[in-house]
């Protein structure tokens, strides 16, 4: 591994493996813990952005969700036909079809498996690509746009560092900075969930270092872990203090077999994609620094 031209960023993307493992036992040594205090204002603002109400065309066919989601009106308000609005949802019927198809698969098999989620996120990624013009749309099981460093803390490999390129079940990045990552349960022990949190913590630290223009508004990574029973654990991962490498997360529990909760999650992801696309900060600089960092790892 070559010497880094930007060594100050290496600690941000380094994972300390515990006895060669990325499991739950590795969270504490990597400074990762659940945030248990009153949520700070920046998190409240972030949640508000995820829940921003959107406009839809008055002729959209929304019968499935109007029948199954009593809270449907909390997400949308009708806009006059053929009138463009900056807060309108494009092609809402695509989202409705996607959610209803996913629910039909879950209800038929009573188990959420990788094929269900693969379909869901492949279609969702294509939708985001068409609506927001995202060039960095990533399909299922694709490599991240940059690598991490693993510090192998074991007797056989003590002091050794390795390059590790994560391959999430799904991820979304803008300017090579990952903002959303998804894992589907593939291990009974849920070891993949803790590996996801370790990876998300690295991105939170990296984003905190690169987007340092607003000390009170840290970069937030959204990480989703979809369990086989249809439960989805959503983590908001962030580094509270830029000078302190410790990372915190807040866990929200969702039941994706229920129409209201699935569509709420889908709606949040739509708004998240809109936020990261519209609030990009120094895009050329961020991309170049990540490319430079990755070349030197």
């Amino acid at each position: 591994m070559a010497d880094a031209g930007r060594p100050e960023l290496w600690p941000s993307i380094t994972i300390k493996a515990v006895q060669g493992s990325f499991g739950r036992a590795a969270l504490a040594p990597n400074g990762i813990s659940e945030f248990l205090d009153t949520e700070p204002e920046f998190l409240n603002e972030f949640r508000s952005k995820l829940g921003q109400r959107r406009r839809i065309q008055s002729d959209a066919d929304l019968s499935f969700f109007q029948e199954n989601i009593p809270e449907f009106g909390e997400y949308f308000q009708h806009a006059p036909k053929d009138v463009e609005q900056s807060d309108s949802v494009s092609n809402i019927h695509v989202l409705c079809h996607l959610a209803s198809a996913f629910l039909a698969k879950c209800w038929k098999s009573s188990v959420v498996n990788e094929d269900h989620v693969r379909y869901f996120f492949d279609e969702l990624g294509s939708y985001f690509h068409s609506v927001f013009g995202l060039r960095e749309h990533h399909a299922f099981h694709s490599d991240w746009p940059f690598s991490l460093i693993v510090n192998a803390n074991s007797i056989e490999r003590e002091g050794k560092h390795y390059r590790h390129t994560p391959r999430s079940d799904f991820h979304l990045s803008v300017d090579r900075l990952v903002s959303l990552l998804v894992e589907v349960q593939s291990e009974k022990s849920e070891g993949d969930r803790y590996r996801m949190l370790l990876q998300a913590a690295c991105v939170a630290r990296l984003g905190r270092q690169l987007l340092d223009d607003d000390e009170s508004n840290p970069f937030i990574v959204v990480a989703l872990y979809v369990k086989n029973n249809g439960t989805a654990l959503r983590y908001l991962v962030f580094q509270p203090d830029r000078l302190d490498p410790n990372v915190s997360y807040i866990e929200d529990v969702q039941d994706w077999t229920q129409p209201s909760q699935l569509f709420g999650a889908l709606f949040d992801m739509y708004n998240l994609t809109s936020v990261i696309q519209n609030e990009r900060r120094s895009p050329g600089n961020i991309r170049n620094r990540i490319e430079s960092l990755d070349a030197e790892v």
Side-chain angles (χ1 to χ4, degrees), residues 25 89 107 113 127 137 154 187 266 271:
V89 175
W107 291 342
N113 61 39
Y127 172 75
H137 155 233
S154 64
E187 302 174 16
L266 190 61
N271 278 337

Side-chain angles (χ1 to χ4, degrees), residues 228-252:
N228 298 146
N229 64 1
T231 299
L233 306 178
R234 185 184 71 177
Y235 296 94
L236 304 181
V237 186
F238 56 95
Q239 182 183 352
D241 187 339
R242 185 173 181 271
L243 300 179
D244 184 340
N246 288 326
V247 169
S248 298
Y249 65 83
I250 289 180
E251 180 186 277
D252 299 319

Side-chain angles (χ1 to χ4, degrees), residues 141-158:
H141 292 312
S142 61
D143 289 345
W144 280 22
F146 62 90
S147 297
L148 307 178
I149 300 169
V150 175
N151 181 354
N153 183 18
S154 64
I155 297 176
E156 298 83 2
R157 301 178 178 179
E158 185 175 0

Side-chain angles (χ1 to χ4, degrees), residues 76-231:
F76 300 108
Q77 54 184 324
H78 286 287
K81 188 177 181 181
D82 299 327
V83 176
E84 290 189 2
Q85 302 281 346
S86 60
D87 61 347
S88 64
V89 175
S90 300
N91 300 324
I92 183 62
H93 65 280
V94 176
L95 287 182
C96 292
H97 169 74
L98 177 58
S100 58
F102 178 80
L103 286 169
K105 290 175 180 290
C106 294
W107 291 342
K108 182 177 181 179
S109 65
S110 73
V111 174
V112 176
N113 61 39
E114 187 175 289
D115 289 338
H116 298 156
V117 184
R118 177 195 296 272
Y119 165 81
F120 183 80
F121 280 101
D122 273 351
E123 294 295 318
L124 188 64
S126 297
Y127 172 75
F128 287 160
H129 179 69
S130 65
V131 170
F132 298 106
L134 295 178
R135 293 181 300 172
E136 298 179 48
H137 155 233
H138 300 284
F140 230 64
H141 292 312
S142 61
D143 289 345
W144 280 22
F146 62 90
S147 297
L148 307 178
I149 300 169
V150 175
N151 181 354
N153 183 18
S154 64
I155 297 176
E156 298 83 2
R157 301 178 178 179
E158 185 175 0
K160 298 291 185 180
H161 293 76
Y162 298 90
R163 177 186 175 105
H164 166 62
T165 303
R167 173 172 285 189
S168 299
D169 286 337
F170 179 85
H171 74 274
L172 184 67
S173 61
V174 173
D175 302 315
R176 303 185 75 89
L177 186 61
V178 177
S179 296
L180 170 67
L181 58 148
V182 180
E183 290 291 338
V184 184
Q185 181 181 357
S186 59
E187 302 174 16
K188 187 175 182 180
S189 65
E190 299 186 9
D192 43 357
R193 171 158 66 109
Y194 304 111
R195 182 172 62 248
M196 177 191 72
L197 284 172
L198 290 165
Q199 295 168 347
C202 288
V203 183
R205 293 189 183 103
L206 180 60
R208 184 63 145 152
Q209 298 302 312
L210 295 177
L211 304 171
D212 57 1
D213 55 331
D214 189 349
E215 186 65 28
S216 64
N217 189 26
F219 178 69
I220 300 174
V221 183
V222 178
L224 287 170
Y225 185 73
V226 185
K227 302 177 71 170
N228 298 146
N229 64 1
T231 299

Side-chain angles (χ1 to χ4, degrees), residues 10-29:
W10 272 38
S12 300
I13 60 169
T14 297
I15 296 176
K16 301 174 185 177
V18 176
Q19 297 181 345
S21 171
F22 292 152
R24 184 174 187 174
L27 295 184

Side-chain angles (χ1 to χ4, degrees), residues 24-91:
R24 184 174 187 174
L27 295 184
N30 282 275
I32 304 170
S33 61
E34 186 173 6
F35 189 82
L36 300 176
D37 295 334
T38 302
E39 291 192 13
E41 185 59 30
F42 70 82
L43 271 177
N44 292 330
E45 292 179 1
F46 186 75
R47 289 185 185 276
S48 295
K49 290 177 180 178
L50 294 187
Q52 178 187 349
R53 202 175 182 203
R54 295 283 178 170
R55 296 178 186 272
I56 53 175
Q57 297 298 330
S58 57
D59 61 343
D61 181 9
L62 307 173
S63 56
F64 175 86
F65 288 98
Q66 288 172 332
E67 293 170 3
N68 289 276
I69 303 177
E71 311 90 348
F72 191 79
E74 297 177 7
Y75 299 113
F76 300 108
Q77 54 184 324
H78 286 287
K81 188 177 181 181
D82 299 327
V83 176
E84 290 189 2
Q85 302 281 346
S86 60
D87 61 347
S88 64
V89 175
S90 300
N91 300 324

